[in-house]
Structure formats: structure tokens, C-alpha cells
Amino acid sequence: MADIEEILSVERIDADIYRGGAFASALRRTFGGQVAGQALVAATQTVAPEFAVHSLHGYFLRPGKPDQPAVFLVDRIRDGRSFVTRRVTGVQNGEAIFSMSASFHITDDHGIEHQDVMPPAPDPESLPDQKEKAEQLKGNARVFYAEWENFDIRIVPRDQLVTHESFAAQQRVWFRYRKPLPDDQLLHVCTLAYMSDMTLLGSSKTAHPDVDSQNASLDHAMWFLRPFRADDWLLYDQTSPSAGGARALTQGRIFDRAGRMVAAVTQEGLTRTGVPTSIASVTRPAT
């Protein structure tokens, strides 16, 4: 697997036009986190460094081809004194495959502050490193860990998961980038945008463990709340409050090991049953 710095690198080919790289993949369509991450990097190239991204809202319009690069067209929607807004369209073969709006803000320390308490979870080091037994796994689970071997992803087992009876479907995942990353908060933010598409739609499947479905991310929204490191452990607390009409709504809160809530995610995904599944539908490994 390519390093995340290489995956997130984009080339400027003209004013407000950028091109991302193409990388070998076992998936039949480009991983959504890669498209979102590259689009976010393209947007940041048009924003002054004192502005930090605080939210993104994206739609996956068509399946991308992983063996072809995507071109990202950036529209400068607004440049204000405190907020900047960009719209990015990802294109392959003349067709839009992804559309995203991103908002940037100059940090302001004058305001209220509160956050949810991090839910209980076993220490990540107490959970097995799936990379060590990836060769023994089968099917989608093996593809999942092989595709993202540079990411340490440890799903909390069901028998160690503290659940809430009012939630329809729940899942918690510890994850981090395995290799040390530079002290560049923008890189950590874009890395987390990439990582946030991992496993989230799979939280909807925890209520239907024996049901096969065709899965794909449809839209993805994310808010960045506090500074963090993507190469240190982050707890992804995931729920799926509703599924119906072949779509599942999923939500995630991301905490660092100190219990600080650093990001929030909402995603809706396709969960269509009655069709053949393939590695293109990988959203989480079997547990």
C-alpha cells in the first residue's frame, strides 16, 4: 500500500484544477475515503494557511475507477474574514464522481465549550492486531486488512462492547495510521477524512450479522472539532440509528485517548440485499 502522504498528494495542473494519484487496489471502485481526502487536499491548496478546515459535506455520485487518476475542480465560493467556503468536484473521464463542500475557519477562542464523555472501551493494545493474522482470514475480511495494511484497525469485540439499549446498532473501533506522520495538522485532518470512511457503514450491519448486502457510501459529512494526531489511537464510536429503503444512516464520534472529542461524522450508505456481493462492497471485516 502507498503511504498516506503519497495518496493524499495532488498535482496542480492549472488554476484551481488538481489531479490525484491512482493506486493499486483490490477494490473494483475507488475507495471513498481516498476521493474525499484528495478533494479536501485540493480545496486546502486554494485557502490561506491561517484558515483550518472545520467541516466537509460530500456526495459519492459515481463509482470511481481505482486504476485512473481523478481531477479535482475547485470553486472559490466565498472568502470571508472568518470563514472560507470551497466546492470541489472530482471528475473521471469527463463525469463527476464526487462533489464536496468544505468550510474553513480561523480558530476563535471566544465561545462556549462542552463535549460528550468518551464511551467505555478496552485498551487498544489489549485487542489483537489483525495484520498479524490477515493471511489466515478469508473473503472480505482478508481484503479489508490487506487493502489498508498501513492502518491499525481494531474492532471492539461484541462481548466487550458496552451498549445502550435505545440504540438500534452500535460498534466501536480503535484505529490509527501505523507510521509516524509529520507535525502538520492539515495532513492529520486529511488522513482522518480518509480513515473516517473505514468501517462506519459496517456499524449498520451489526444488527444484521447474517445478511449479505451490496454496500456503498452515498454521502459523507464530517466536522473537525479539536486538534489530534491520526498516527495515535483514536476511538471511533459508531451507531446506525435507522436503515430502510436499501439505505442505512450511520453516525460516528471520534475521540483521542485522552477522551477529547476530535471529530464527528455522519454518513448514509447503500445496503441493498438480494444482489451478489463482491470485494467492491467491503465496508468492514467479519468479526
Side-chain angles (χ1 to χ4, degrees):
M1 182 183 182
D3 289 340
I4 193 65
E5 295 99 320
E6 182 181 359
I7 292 173
L8 294 177
S9 177
V10 297
E11 173 193 6
R12 182 183 183 275
I13 57 177
D14 207 335
D16 298 342
I17 302 177
Y18 299 85
R19 179 168 51 211
F23 304 93
S25 174
L27 306 181
R28 295 182 182 176
R29 58 174 175 255
T30 308
F31 173 55
Q34 175 179 315
V35 179
Q38 290 179 344
L40 183 57
V41 171
T44 65
Q45 301 301 303
T46 69
V47 176
E50 61 267 26
F51 288 88
V53 59
H54 73 91
S55 69
L56 64 84
H57 297 71
Y59 285 90
F60 299 96
L61 305 175
R62 292 181 176 87
K65 297 177 174 60
D67 60 344
Q68 298 180 19
V71 173
F72 298 94
L73 313 177
V74 182
D75 291 328
R76 301 179 183 234
I77 304 300
R78 178 177 184 266
D79 286 277
R81 289 180 296 178
S82 298
F83 288 90
V84 167
T85 305
R86 296 291 184 261
R87 183 171 57 223
V88 185
T89 304
V91 178
Q92 277 188 340
N93 297 321
E95 294 185 323
I97 64 170
F98 182 69
S99 176
M100 183 186 77
S101 294
S103 181
F104 300 77
H105 181 221
I106 292 180
T107 301
D108 188 343
D109 294 329
H110 298 87
I112 64 172
E113 184 168 348
H114 63 258
Q115 67 156 74
D116 289 348
V117 175
M118 184 172 74
D123 191 88
E125 276 90 3
S126 71
L127 304 176
D129 184 346
Q130 296 296 325
K131 184 178 181 179
E132 297 176 356
K133 63 175 185 178
E135 292 297 322
Q136 304 170 11
L137 299 173
K138 298 179 180 179
N140 282 358
R142 182 171 181 175
V143 171
F144 182 94
Y145 286 110
E147 186 73 18
W148 294 292
E149 63 181 1
N150 288 342
F151 297 88
D152 198 342
I153 304 168
R154 307 191 186 193
I155 296 177
V156 176
R158 302 303 296 178
D159 60 0
Q160 298 184 50
L161 184 66
V162 179
T163 59
H164 195 291
E165 61 181 10
S166 66
F167 292 165
Q170 300 168 75
Q171 179 172 257
R172 291 193 187 106
V173 181
W174 285 105
F175 64 175
R176 64 176 177 179
Y177 190 68
R178 290 186 183 273
K179 302 177 181 180
L181 295 174
D183 294 331
D184 177 1
Q185 186 59 203
L186 177 59
L187 175 61
H188 290 268
V189 164
C190 294
T191 299
L192 187 59
Y194 180 102
M195 295 166 63
S196 65
D197 194 34
M198 297 175 176
T199 75
L200 182 55
L201 187 53
S203 66
S204 66
K205 302 296 291 297
T206 63
H208 314 275
D210 299 321
V211 177
D212 289 331
S213 62
Q214 179 189 22
N215 306 318
S217 303
L218 298 175
D219 62 3
H220 194 86
M222 193 167 187
W223 295 264
F224 302 95
L225 309 174
R226 293 172 178 84
F228 60 89
R229 295 193 64 90
D231 54 0
D232 199 359
W233 286 113
L234 297 169
L235 180 67
Y236 205 171
D237 179 44
Q238 306 169 346
T239 62
S240 178
S242 178
R247 302 187 313 276
L249 178 66
T250 57
Q251 300 172 337
R253 302 176 302 166
I254 301 177
F255 298 85
D256 64 14
R257 293 193 74 172
R260 298 164 59 252
M261 187 174 174
V262 301
V265 189
T266 298
Q267 182 183 88
E268 188 176 46
L270 180 71
T271 50
R272 181 183 291 136
T273 59
V275 295
T277 58
S278 71
I279 58 174
S281 303
V282 173
T283 56
R284 66 183 293 272
T287 56

